[in-house]
Amino acid sequence: MQDIYQHIEDHIDEHIETLFRLVSQPSVSAQRLGFDKAPGLVKEIFESVGLETEIVPVPNDGLPSVYGHMAGERTDRTLLFYTHYDVQPTDPIELWESDPFRPERRGDRIYGRGISDDKGNIIARIAAMKAFNEVRGGLPCNLKFFAEGEEESGSPNLPGLIAQRGQDFSADACIWEGGGRNASNTPFIYLGLKGLLNVELSISRLSGDAHSSLATVLPSAAWRLLNALKTIKGDDDRVLIEGFYDDITPLSESEDAAITALPDETEELRRIHGVSDFVNEVEGEALRRKLYLTPTANIAGLTSGYQGAGFKTVLPAAASAKMDFRLVPEMRPLDVLEKLRKHLDRHGFSDIEINMIAGVIPYRTAMDAPWVKLVAETAEEIYGLKPEITPNMAGTGPMHDFGHGIGMPIATSGVDHPAHNIHAPNENITIDDFLLGAKQAALIIQRFAERGAE
Ligand SMILES: [Zn+2]
């Protein structure tokens, strides 16, 4: 592989230039900013390495995906790269030291919105493909490259697209976004993501706000909502919705061992969030297990009455709360929604309305899959250290659509590092992280061509 690695290193200036071009083009899905040009630029970059590329419309007039494919020497083996070309909004803009859409280099870091998440991953993989083309005259296996345009907005139209066109994107195995190194420079891989149910609970009890002197006789929407919320979770943090935990699948032996082997994040989380005690006083391994393996019932927002300057003696007519439930395999958003409705009814809160805002199904690739072993070996070879493997992360993403909907094992590799400030001001990446990510992508392509995912 030295010939391929050498090519990636020799062409680093060119790769960074391409990355700068891509980062210079805004593509903020939350604001639908820059999508007149962004898909076309991604298509152009895909085509520059020989991918036969199309801009793929998604349902509901959503922001398009870009999809390319290319045949290689082993035509019976197909690898899929999942990435996204949309980025997070740049707020708070005043905390950026340079224009987020005018990437610049300061020392050994380059800065710009999306330069790590996920445009850095896109170009690192393009760099690997380019090396195979120019050094070996083509790829050793078939490759499909999918770049989503709405990931940072919760992939609302991806399930619809997969339902329509899933088979076009099918492959023997998939490399997701979001791998690289952690704070101690150990490579990390994750195999799954939590699902999500977003709802709004609301109640209206009066035709309009009333004078608060009437609180003796008029019903309070705010208290009513609080009492309903109080029935959802106990003081011990256990969710009290009947049957809420029923569909959780226990970890396999190897998944369990992987969680045990992960490093202790207790002190780092303490420092970052300024807390002394965690929920239920968990620490160390217990903290990891709670963080990665248990579902949540979180209140994301509460609204009622007057919260402005001074005081207003008002009895608010209405109250609402936004809640997100992070789900672990094999919980299902619609099932949890139904259980929540039944729970509120059973506790006498039929008057609380529930409006579902979004749902994502959780997903986890089996730890024992040969694909996981292959990707872990490439990480160890490139980074020189055994990777830490997390069965599923605390966050959410549309893995289920590919892993289950289309059907393929999924693992991650990439250019990430906690110092990259993804989703935050001054997003950055080091040239080193980029090179390592590109080389690992190349090695994965090679090993997959040799061994397949079986
Ligand atoms: Zn991302």
Side-chain angles (χ1 to χ4, degrees):
M1 289 296 287
Q2 276 316 316
D3 53 343
I4 297 286
Y5 300 156
Q6 195 59 51
H7 183 282
I8 292 170
E9 281 180 24
D10 290 348
H11 292 76
I12 184 65
D13 290 345
E14 194 186 312
H15 300 319
I16 298 305
E17 203 185 302
T18 311
L19 179 55
F20 274 24
R21 266 185 80 207
L22 189 56
V23 172
S24 300
Q25 171 58 50
S27 52
V28 184
S29 54
Q31 301 156 346
R32 294 181 83 95
L33 177 72
F35 286 83
D36 50 336
K37 297 207 187 85
L41 178 58
V42 176
K43 182 171 185 266
E44 188 193 318
I45 291 169
F46 276 20
E47 285 173 342
S48 75
V49 289
L51 287 159
E52 197 176 304
T53 307
E54 61 171 310
I55 294 172
V56 183
V58 302
N60 306 311
D61 203 23
L63 301 166
S65 296
V66 181
Y67 166 68
H69 62 96
M70 175 173 179
E73 209 180 315
R74 288 287 310 236
T75 51
D76 58 335
R77 287 184 175 156
T78 305
L79 176 63
L80 173 74
F81 284 153
Y82 168 87
T83 56
H84 58 89
Y85 70 93
D86 66 325
V87 299
Q88 285 280 322
T90 55
D91 311 27
I93 187 78
E94 65 277 10
L95 295 183
W96 283 82
E97 281 170 39
S98 54
D99 185 330
F101 299 118
R102 295 184 72 175
E104 71 171 40
R105 187 170 180 156
R106 301 199 288 275
D108 66 342
R109 288 182 188 274
I110 47 179
Y111 293 80
R113 173 52 89 224
I115 206 155
S116 180
D117 178 20
D118 197 26
K119 291 174 173 175
N121 278 314
I122 293 178
I123 302 303
R125 293 167 191 192
I126 291 289
M129 293 178 69
K130 198 174 166 63
F132 276 109
N133 286 338
E134 292 179 6
V135 175
R136 309 246 180 108
L139 297 177
C141 62
N142 294 344
L143 203 135
K144 294 182 174 181
F145 207 136
F146 188 91
E148 199 192 342
E150 299 183 311
E151 195 272 349
E152 299 292 12
S153 295
S155 307
N157 298 302
L158 191 65
L161 175 66
I162 298 296
Q164 286 172 6
R165 298 228 11 212
Q167 279 322 302
D168 292 349
F169 317 130
S170 77
D172 302 300
C174 173
I175 289 292
W176 204 252
E177 62 148 336
R181 293 190 284 184
N182 64 22
S184 63
N185 287 330
T186 310
F188 71 91
I189 296 171
Y190 63 86
L191 308 179
L193 290 166
K194 284 187 185 176
L196 189 66
L197 169 67
N198 286 346
V199 292
E200 182 170 38
L201 305 184
S202 58
I203 179 156
S204 174
R205 303 215 73 188
L206 303 169
S207 56
D209 287 357
H211 192 281
S212 71
S213 63
L214 294 166
T216 44
V217 290
L218 291 181
S220 161
W223 278 115
R224 182 84 184 143
L225 178 67
L226 286 176
N227 289 337
L229 290 173
K230 194 81 184 87
T231 68
I232 292 176
K233 202 163 81 159
D235 290 339
D236 59 356
D237 202 50
R238 203 171 158 78
V239 178
L240 301 173
I241 297 170
E242 294 75 3
F244 185 73
Y245 297 96
D246 283 1
D247 298 321
I248 299 178
T249 38
L251 293 186
S252 71
E253 227 170 89
S254 50
E255 287 164 346
D256 202 79
I259 290 280
T260 303
L262 289 173
D264 186 357
E265 298 166 88
T266 311
E267 289 315 314
E268 204 190 337
L269 282 172
R270 246 191 205 123
R271 188 178 52 75
I272 293 171
H273 300 284
V275 288
S276 48
D277 294 319
F278 295 96
V279 174
N280 294 353
E281 274 87 50
V282 287
E283 289 191 354
E285 185 173 338
L287 181 147
R288 281 201 295 287
R289 288 184 179 272
K290 194 156 177 3
L291 178 61
Y292 295 128
L293 305 176
T294 63
T296 67
N298 177 53
I299 298 173
L302 275 174
T303 308
S304 189
Y306 179 76
Q307 291 284 13
F311 199 90
K312 187 179 176 191
T313 47
V314 66
L315 171 59
S320 63
K322 292 199 176 179
M323 291 194 73
D324 60 85
F325 297 86
R326 300 248 176 203
L327 313 176
V328 298
E330 294 292 338
M331 300 172 85
R332 292 291 180 268
L334 288 177
D335 178 63
V336 174
L337 178 69
E338 198 185 313
K339 284 171 176 164
L340 174 64
R341 176 73 273 165
K342 277 190 189 147
H343 168 88
L344 289 176
D345 290 349
R346 202 173 291 141
H347 288 78
F349 292 100
S350 309
D351 51 343
I352 304 270
E353 272 182 48
I354 308 175
N355 178 27
M356 175 170 164
I357 297 164
V360 178
I361 298 176
Y363 185 73
R364 190 190 285 147
T365 286
M367 188 96 186
D368 301 320
W371 179 234
V372 176
K373 188 163 180 267
L374 185 152
V375 176
E377 283 171 13
T378 64
E380 186 169 357
E381 201 169 322
I382 297 292
Y383 293 90
L385 289 165
K386 267 206 182 324
E388 286 156 5
I389 306 180
T390 309
N392 68 264
M393 297 293 276
T396 297
M399 249 187 193
H400 184 268
D401 297 305
F402 287 89
H404 180 86
I406 304 176
M408 62 188 98
I410 301 178
T412 62
S413 89
V415 300
D416 293 6
H417 189 283
H420 288 179
N421 294 338
I422 66 167
H423 294 202
N426 304 310
E427 181 173 352
N428 66 85
I429 183 176
T430 64
I431 306 293
D432 237 21
D433 283 316
F434 180 91
L435 285 171
L436 288 162
K439 288 176 188 175
Q440 196 193 349
L443 186 57
I444 289 169
I445 293 172
Q446 179 64 33
R447 287 288 143 76
F448 169 75
E450 290 162 5
R451 285 161 46 182
E454 299 292 312

PDB file of all heavy atoms in Angstrom, residues 57-85:
ATOM      1  N   PRO A  57     -33.028  13.646  -6.324  1.00  0.00           N
ATOM      2  CA  PRO A  57     -34.092  14.353  -5.607  1.00  0.00           C
ATOM      3  C   PRO A  57     -34.626  13.476  -4.476  1.00  0.00           C
ATOM      4  O   PRO A  57     -34.638  12.249  -4.597  1.00  0.00           O
ATOM      5  CB  PRO A  57     -35.184  14.552  -6.671  1.00  0.00           C
ATOM      6  CG  PRO A  57     -34.649  14.020  -7.948  1.00  0.00           C
ATOM      7  CD  PRO A  57     -33.443  13.199  -7.664  1.00  0.00           C
ATOM      8  N   VAL A  58     -35.023  14.078  -3.370  1.00  0.00           N
ATOM      9  CA  VAL A  58     -35.608  13.315  -2.266  1.00  0.00           C
ATOM     10  C   VAL A  58     -37.073  13.735  -2.125  1.00  0.00           C
ATOM     11  O   VAL A  58     -37.462  14.784  -2.620  1.00  0.00           O
ATOM     12  CB  VAL A  58     -34.821  13.518  -0.944  1.00  0.00           C
ATOM     13  CG1 VAL A  58     -33.374  13.106  -1.106  1.00  0.00           C
ATOM     14  CG2 VAL A  58     -34.921  14.951  -0.456  1.00  0.00           C
ATOM     15  N   PRO A  59     -37.889  12.915  -1.443  1.00  0.00           N
ATOM     16  CA  PRO A  59     -39.312  13.244  -1.312  1.00  0.00           C
ATOM     17  C   PRO A  59     -39.548  14.591  -0.618  1.00  0.00           C
ATOM     18  O   PRO A  59     -38.649  15.124   0.044  1.00  0.00           O
ATOM     19  CB  PRO A  59     -39.864  12.094  -0.468  1.00  0.00           C
ATOM     20  CG  PRO A  59     -38.898  10.964  -0.651  1.00  0.00           C
ATOM     21  CD  PRO A  59     -37.563  11.603  -0.855  1.00  0.00           C
ATOM     22  N   ASN A  60     -40.752  15.096  -0.773  1.00  0.00           N
ATOM     23  CA  ASN A  60     -41.206  16.326  -0.104  1.00  0.00           C
ATOM     24  C   ASN A  60     -40.366  17.552  -0.455  1.00  0.00           C
ATOM     25  O   ASN A  60     -40.214  18.455   0.365  1.00  0.00           O
ATOM     26  CB  ASN A  60     -41.226  16.145   1.417  1.00  0.00           C
ATOM     27  CG  ASN A  60     -42.039  14.950   1.834  1.00  0.00           C
ATOM     28  OD1 ASN A  60     -43.175  14.788   1.372  1.00  0.00           O
ATOM     29  ND2 ASN A  60     -41.469  14.072   2.646  1.00  0.00           N
ATOM     30  N   ASP A  61     -39.804  17.532  -1.664  1.00  0.00           N
ATOM     31  CA  ASP A  61     -39.010  18.671  -2.104  1.00  0.00           C
ATOM     32  C   ASP A  61     -37.857  18.964  -1.136  1.00  0.00           C
ATOM     33  O   ASP A  61     -37.476  20.115  -0.926  1.00  0.00           O
ATOM     34  CB  ASP A  61     -39.920  19.905  -2.251  1.00  0.00           C
ATOM     35  CG  ASP A  61     -39.324  20.928  -3.193  1.00  0.00           C
ATOM     36  OD1 ASP A  61     -38.495  20.534  -4.035  1.00  0.00           O
ATOM     37  OD2 ASP A  61     -39.663  22.122  -3.057  1.00  0.00           O
ATOM     38  N   GLY A  62     -37.314  17.900  -0.543  1.00  0.00           N
ATOM     39  CA  GLY A  62     -36.188  18.072   0.381  1.00  0.00           C
ATOM     40  C   GLY A  62     -34.916  18.402  -0.375  1.00  0.00           C
ATOM     41  O   GLY A  62     -34.899  18.488  -1.606  1.00  0.00           O
ATOM     42  N   LEU A  63     -33.828  18.598   0.381  1.00  0.00           N
ATOM     43  CA  LEU A  63     -32.551  18.941  -0.242  1.00  0.00           C
ATOM     44  C   LEU A  63     -31.923  17.657  -0.798  1.00  0.00           C
ATOM     45  O   LEU A  63     -31.884  16.635  -0.117  1.00  0.00           O
ATOM     46  CB  LEU A  63     -31.647  19.583   0.806  1.00  0.00           C
ATOM     47  CG  LEU A  63     -32.285  20.855   1.395  1.00  0.00           C
ATOM     48  CD1 LEU A  63     -31.575  21.295   2.661  1.00  0.00           C
ATOM     49  CD2 LEU A  63     -32.290  21.973   0.351  1.00  0.00           C
ATOM     50  N   PRO A  64     -31.445  17.700  -2.036  1.00  0.00           N
ATOM     51  CA  PRO A  64     -31.059  16.464  -2.714  1.00  0.00           C
ATOM     52  C   PRO A  64     -29.824  15.787  -2.118  1.00  0.00           C
ATOM     53  O   PRO A  64     -28.996  16.426  -1.482  1.00  0.00           O
ATOM     54  CB  PRO A  64     -30.767  16.933  -4.145  1.00  0.00           C
ATOM     55  CG  PRO A  64     -30.414  18.357  -4.014  1.00  0.00           C
ATOM     56  CD  PRO A  64     -31.230  18.891  -2.868  1.00  0.00           C
ATOM     57  N   SER A  65     -29.737  14.502  -2.368  1.00  0.00           N
ATOM     58  CA  SER A  65     -28.519  13.747  -2.087  1.00  0.00           C
ATOM     59  C   SER A  65     -27.698  13.736  -3.360  1.00  0.00           C
ATOM     60  O   SER A  65     -28.220  14.030  -4.444  1.00  0.00           O
ATOM     61  CB  SER A  65     -28.859  12.309  -1.693  1.00  0.00           C
ATOM     62  OG  SER A  65     -29.585  12.281  -0.494  1.00  0.00           O
ATOM     63  N   VAL A  66     -26.424  13.402  -3.244  1.00  0.00           N
ATOM     64  CA  VAL A  66     -25.592  13.202  -4.438  1.00  0.00           C
ATOM     65  C   VAL A  66     -25.074  11.773  -4.356  1.00  0.00           C
ATOM     66  O   VAL A  66     -24.606  11.341  -3.299  1.00  0.00           O
ATOM     67  CB  VAL A  66     -24.421  14.202  -4.491  1.00  0.00           C
ATOM     68  CG1 VAL A  66     -23.598  13.988  -5.758  1.00  0.00           C
ATOM     69  CG2 VAL A  66     -24.947  15.638  -4.443  1.00  0.00           C
ATOM     70  N   TYR A  67     -25.213  11.048  -5.469  1.00  0.00           N
ATOM     71  CA  TYR A  67     -24.851   9.639  -5.447  1.00  0.00           C
ATOM     72  C   TYR A  67     -23.998   9.297  -6.666  1.00  0.00           C
ATOM     73  O   TYR A  67     -24.335   9.669  -7.800  1.00  0.00           O
ATOM     74  CB  TYR A  67     -26.121   8.783  -5.438  1.00  0.00           C
ATOM     75  CG  TYR A  67     -25.863   7.335  -5.747  1.00  0.00           C
ATOM     76  CD1 TYR A  67     -25.159   6.527  -4.858  1.00  0.00           C
ATOM     77  CD2 TYR A  67     -26.290   6.768  -6.953  1.00  0.00           C
ATOM     78  CE1 TYR A  67     -24.897   5.202  -5.151  1.00  0.00           C
ATOM     79  CE2 TYR A  67     -26.039   5.445  -7.258  1.00  0.00           C
ATOM     80  CZ  TYR A  67     -25.341   4.662  -6.354  1.00  0.00           C
ATOM     81  OH  TYR A  67     -25.067   3.356  -6.651  1.00  0.00           O
ATOM     82  N   GLY A  68     -22.874   8.638  -6.420  1.00  0.00           N
ATOM     83  CA  GLY A  68     -22.016   8.216  -7.527  1.00  0.00           C
ATOM     84  C   GLY A  68     -21.626   6.761  -7.377  1.00  0.00           C
ATOM     85  O   GLY A  68     -21.600   6.234  -6.259  1.00  0.00           O
ATOM     86  N   HIS A  69     -21.333   6.118  -8.472  1.00  0.00           N
ATOM     87  CA  HIS A  69     -20.863   4.730  -8.393  1.00  0.00           C
ATOM     88  C   HIS A  69     -19.845   4.483  -9.490  1.00  0.00           C
ATOM     89  O   HIS A  69     -19.799   5.197 -10.502  1.00  0.00           O
ATOM     90  CB  HIS A  69     -22.028   3.743  -8.498  1.00  0.00           C
ATOM     91  CG  HIS A  69     -22.765   3.840  -9.802  1.00  0.00           C
ATOM     92  ND1 HIS A  69     -22.495   3.020 -10.869  1.00  0.00           N
ATOM     93  CD2 HIS A  69     -23.731   4.695 -10.213  1.00  0.00           C
ATOM     94  CE1 HIS A  69     -23.283   3.351 -11.876  1.00  0.00           C
ATOM     95  NE2 HIS A  69     -24.034   4.360 -11.514  1.00  0.00           N
ATOM     96  N   MET A  70     -19.046   3.462  -9.274  1.00  0.00           N
ATOM     97  CA  MET A  70     -17.936   3.198 -10.168  1.00  0.00           C
ATOM     98  C   MET A  70     -17.547   1.731 -10.046  1.00  0.00           C
ATOM     99  O   MET A  70     -17.506   1.191  -8.943  1.00  0.00           O
ATOM    100  CB  MET A  70     -16.797   4.105  -9.705  1.00  0.00           C
ATOM    101  CG  MET A  70     -15.500   3.966 -10.380  1.00  0.00           C
ATOM    102  SD  MET A  70     -14.460   5.308  -9.726  1.00  0.00           S
ATOM    103  CE  MET A  70     -13.005   4.918 -10.653  1.00  0.00           C
ATOM    104  N   ALA A  71     -17.295   1.097 -11.163  1.00  0.00           N
ATOM    105  CA  ALA A  71     -16.916  -0.314 -11.131  1.00  0.00           C
ATOM    106  C   ALA A  71     -15.426  -0.432 -10.867  1.00  0.00           C
ATOM    107  O   ALA A  71     -14.641   0.449 -11.221  1.00  0.00           O
ATOM    108  CB  ALA A  71     -17.270  -0.980 -12.451  1.00  0.00           C
ATOM    109  N   GLY A  72     -15.026  -1.537 -10.230  1.00  0.00           N
ATOM    110  CA  GLY A  72     -13.615  -1.812  -9.981  1.00  0.00           C
ATOM    111  C   GLY A  72     -13.276  -3.204 -10.467  1.00  0.00           C
ATOM    112  O   GLY A  72     -14.099  -3.872 -11.087  1.00  0.00           O
ATOM    113  N   GLU A  73     -12.048  -3.619 -10.146  1.00  0.00           N
ATOM    114  CA  GLU A  73     -11.575  -4.911 -10.636  1.00  0.00           C
ATOM    115  C   GLU A  73     -12.461  -6.062 -10.152  1.00  0.00           C
ATOM    116  O   GLU A  73     -12.857  -6.907 -10.952  1.00  0.00           O
ATOM    117  CB  GLU A  73     -10.140  -5.094 -10.136  1.00  0.00           C
ATOM    118  CG  GLU A  73      -9.295  -5.955 -11.042  1.00  0.00           C
ATOM    119  CD  GLU A  73      -7.893  -6.070 -10.474  1.00  0.00           C
ATOM    120  OE1 GLU A  73      -7.317  -5.038 -10.052  1.00  0.00           O
ATOM    121  OE2 GLU A  73      -7.381  -7.211 -10.429  1.00  0.00           O
ATOM    122  N   ARG A  74     -12.749  -6.103  -8.837  1.00  0.00           N
ATOM    123  CA  ARG A  74     -13.646  -7.145  -8.329  1.00  0.00           C
ATOM    124  C   ARG A  74     -15.067  -6.615  -8.493  1.00  0.00           C
ATOM    125  O   ARG A  74     -15.580  -5.907  -7.635  1.00  0.00           O
ATOM    126  CB  ARG A  74     -13.383  -7.407  -6.842  1.00  0.00           C
ATOM    127  CG  ARG A  74     -12.104  -8.134  -6.508  1.00  0.00           C
ATOM    128  CD  ARG A  74     -12.096  -9.608  -6.839  1.00  0.00           C
ATOM    129  NE  ARG A  74     -13.232 -10.370  -6.352  1.00  0.00           N
ATOM    130  CZ  ARG A  74     -13.146 -11.449  -5.569  1.00  0.00           C
ATOM    131  NH1 ARG A  74     -11.970 -11.869  -5.162  1.00  0.00           N
ATOM    132  NH2 ARG A  74     -14.228 -12.108  -5.204  1.00  0.00           N
ATOM    133  N   THR A  75     -15.722  -7.023  -9.591  1.00  0.00           N
ATOM    134  CA  THR A  75     -17.064  -6.488  -9.836  1.00  0.00           C
ATOM    135  C   THR A  75     -18.103  -7.158  -8.946  1.00  0.00           C
ATOM    136  O   THR A  75     -19.247  -6.725  -8.882  1.00  0.00           O
ATOM    137  CB  THR A  75     -17.465  -6.695 -11.317  1.00  0.00           C
ATOM    138  OG1 THR A  75     -17.245  -8.074 -11.638  1.00  0.00           O
ATOM    139  CG2 THR A  75     -16.647  -5.817 -12.241  1.00  0.00           C
ATOM    140  N   ASP A  76     -17.705  -8.237  -8.246  1.00  0.00           N
ATOM    141  CA  ASP A  76     -18.662  -8.913  -7.364  1.00  0.00           C
ATOM    142  C   ASP A  76     -18.608  -8.365  -5.938  1.00  0.00           C
ATOM    143  O   ASP A  76     -19.287  -8.865  -5.058  1.00  0.00           O
ATOM    144  CB  ASP A  76     -18.381 -10.422  -7.354  1.00  0.00           C
ATOM    145  CG  ASP A  76     -16.949 -10.729  -6.900  1.00  0.00           C
ATOM    146  OD1 ASP A  76     -16.063  -9.848  -7.063  1.00  0.00           O
ATOM    147  OD2 ASP A  76     -16.710 -11.832  -6.384  1.00  0.00           O
ATOM    148  N   ARG A  77     -17.775  -7.347  -5.694  1.00  0.00           N
ATOM    149  CA  ARG A  77     -17.688  -6.777  -4.349  1.00  0.00           C
ATOM    150  C   ARG A  77     -17.933  -5.276  -4.396  1.00  0.00           C
ATOM    151  O   ARG A  77     -17.226  -4.558  -5.093  1.00  0.00           O
ATOM    152  CB  ARG A  77     -16.320  -7.062  -3.728  1.00  0.00           C
ATOM    153  CG  ARG A  77     -16.214  -8.514  -3.331  1.00  0.00           C
ATOM    154  CD  ARG A  77     -14.951  -8.862  -2.619  1.00  0.00           C
ATOM    155  NE  ARG A  77     -15.065 -10.263  -2.197  1.00  0.00           N
ATOM    156  CZ  ARG A  77     -14.051 -11.060  -1.961  1.00  0.00           C
ATOM    157  NH1 ARG A  77     -12.817 -10.602  -2.069  1.00  0.00           N
ATOM    158  NH2 ARG A  77     -14.262 -12.298  -1.594  1.00  0.00           N
ATOM    159  N   THR A  78     -18.947  -4.836  -3.631  1.00  0.00           N
ATOM    160  CA  THR A  78     -19.322  -3.420  -3.666  1.00  0.00           C
ATOM    161  C   THR A  78     -19.290  -2.814  -2.271  1.00  0.00           C
ATOM    162  O   THR A  78     -19.912  -3.336  -1.349  1.00  0.00           O
ATOM    163  CB  THR A  78     -20.735  -3.254  -4.265  1.00  0.00           C
ATOM    164  OG1 THR A  78     -20.760  -3.886  -5.544  1.00  0.00           O
ATOM    165  CG2 THR A  78     -21.092  -1.781  -4.416  1.00  0.00           C
ATOM    166  N   LEU A  79     -18.571  -1.718  -2.173  1.00  0.00           N
ATOM    167  CA  LEU A  79     -18.446  -0.993  -0.912  1.00  0.00           C
ATOM    168  C   LEU A  79     -19.205   0.330  -1.023  1.00  0.00           C
ATOM    169  O   LEU A  79     -19.156   0.982  -2.066  1.00  0.00           O
ATOM    170  CB  LEU A  79     -16.959  -0.726  -0.644  1.00  0.00           C
ATOM    171  CG  LEU A  79     -16.590   0.096   0.587  1.00  0.00           C
ATOM    172  CD1 LEU A  79     -17.011  -0.615   1.862  1.00  0.00           C
ATOM    173  CD2 LEU A  79     -15.084   0.367   0.606  1.00  0.00           C
ATOM    174  N   LEU A  80     -19.918   0.709   0.047  1.00  0.00           N
ATOM    175  CA  LEU A  80     -20.642   1.982   0.052  1.00  0.00           C
ATOM    176  C   LEU A  80     -20.019   2.934   1.069  1.00  0.00           C
ATOM    177  O   LEU A  80     -19.759   2.559   2.213  1.00  0.00           O
ATOM    178  CB  LEU A  80     -22.114   1.747   0.426  1.00  0.00           C
ATOM    179  CG  LEU A  80     -22.962   3.006   0.641  1.00  0.00           C
ATOM    180  CD1 LEU A  80     -23.288   3.690  -0.686  1.00  0.00           C
ATOM    181  CD2 LEU A  80     -24.262   2.675   1.379  1.00  0.00           C
ATOM    182  N   PHE A  81     -19.780   4.170   0.641  1.00  0.00           N
ATOM    183  CA  PHE A  81     -19.392   5.235   1.569  1.00  0.00           C
ATOM    184  C   PHE A  81     -20.622   6.083   1.842  1.00  0.00           C
ATOM    185  O   PHE A  81     -21.232   6.589   0.905  1.00  0.00           O
ATOM    186  CB  PHE A  81     -18.323   6.151   0.945  1.00  0.00           C
ATOM    187  CG  PHE A  81     -16.940   5.564   0.900  1.00  0.00           C
ATOM    188  CD1 PHE A  81     -16.045   5.982  -0.081  1.00  0.00           C
ATOM    189  CD2 PHE A  81     -16.511   4.640   1.838  1.00  0.00           C
ATOM    190  CE1 PHE A  81     -14.759   5.474  -0.130  1.00  0.00           C
ATOM    191  CE2 PHE A  81     -15.226   4.123   1.798  1.00  0.00           C
ATOM    192  CZ  PHE A  81     -14.344   4.542   0.813  1.00  0.00           C
ATOM    193  N   TYR A  82     -20.973   6.242   3.124  1.00  0.00           N
ATOM    194  CA  TYR A  82     -22.027   7.194   3.479  1.00  0.00           C
ATOM    195  C   TYR A  82     -21.377   8.454   4.040  1.00  0.00           C
ATOM    196  O   TYR A  82     -20.532   8.384   4.952  1.00  0.00           O
ATOM    197  CB  TYR A  82     -22.998   6.617   4.527  1.00  0.00           C
ATOM    198  CG  TYR A  82     -23.889   7.704   5.086  1.00  0.00           C
ATOM    199  CD1 TYR A  82     -25.082   8.037   4.459  1.00  0.00           C
ATOM    200  CD2 TYR A  82     -23.495   8.461   6.187  1.00  0.00           C
ATOM    201  CE1 TYR A  82     -25.875   9.082   4.921  1.00  0.00           C
ATOM    202  CE2 TYR A  82     -24.271   9.510   6.657  1.00  0.00           C
ATOM    203  CZ  TYR A  82     -25.454   9.809   6.020  1.00  0.00           C
ATOM    204  OH  TYR A  82     -26.217  10.866   6.473  1.00  0.00           O
ATOM    205  N   THR A  83     -21.770   9.596   3.517  1.00  0.00           N
ATOM    206  CA  THR A  83     -21.330  10.892   4.066  1.00  0.00           C
ATOM    207  C   THR A  83     -22.494  11.874   3.912  1.00  0.00           C
ATOM    208  O   THR A  83     -23.542  11.512   3.390  1.00  0.00           O
ATOM    209  CB  THR A  83     -20.138  11.481   3.281  1.00  0.00           C
ATOM    210  OG1 THR A  83     -20.520  11.582   1.914  1.00  0.00           O
ATOM    211  CG2 THR A  83     -18.881  10.632   3.390  1.00  0.00           C
ATOM    212  N   HIS A  84     -22.287  13.105   4.346  1.00  0.00           N
ATOM    213  CA  HIS A  84     -23.271  14.153   4.050  1.00  0.00           C
ATOM    214  C   HIS A  84     -22.521  15.426   3.694  1.00  0.00           C
ATOM    215  O   HIS A  84     -21.448  15.698   4.246  1.00  0.00           O
ATOM    216  CB  HIS A  84     -24.220  14.384   5.227  1.00  0.00           C
ATOM    217  CG  HIS A  84     -23.548  14.762   6.512  1.00  0.00           C
ATOM    218  ND1 HIS A  84     -23.278  16.067   6.851  1.00  0.00           N
ATOM    219  CD2 HIS A  84     -23.065  14.011   7.531  1.00  0.00           C
ATOM    220  CE1 HIS A  84     -22.676  16.098   8.024  1.00  0.00           C
ATOM    221  NE2 HIS A  84     -22.522  14.860   8.464  1.00  0.00           N
ATOM    222  N   TYR A  85     -23.073  16.177   2.747  1.00  0.00           N
ATOM    223  CA  TYR A  85     -22.393  17.418   2.337  1.00  0.00           C
ATOM    224  C   TYR A  85     -23.040  18.653   2.943  1.00  0.00           C
ATOM    225  O   TYR A  85     -22.546  19.765   2.764  1.00  0.00           O
ATOM    226  CB  TYR A  85     -22.342  17.532   0.799  1.00  0.00           C
ATOM    227  CG  TYR A  85     -23.684  17.786   0.145  1.00  0.00           C
ATOM    228  CD1 TYR A  85     -24.116  19.085  -0.124  1.00  0.00           C
ATOM    229  CD2 TYR A  85     -24.526  16.731  -0.207  1.00  0.00           C
ATOM    230  CE1 TYR A  85     -25.343  19.328  -0.715  1.00  0.00           C
ATOM    231  CE2 TYR A  85     -25.757  16.961  -0.791  1.00  0.00           C
ATOM    232  CZ  TYR A  85     -26.164  18.272  -1.053  1.00  0.00           C
ATOM    233  OH  TYR A  85     -27.393  18.505  -1.623  1.00  0.00           O
TER     234      TYR A  85
END
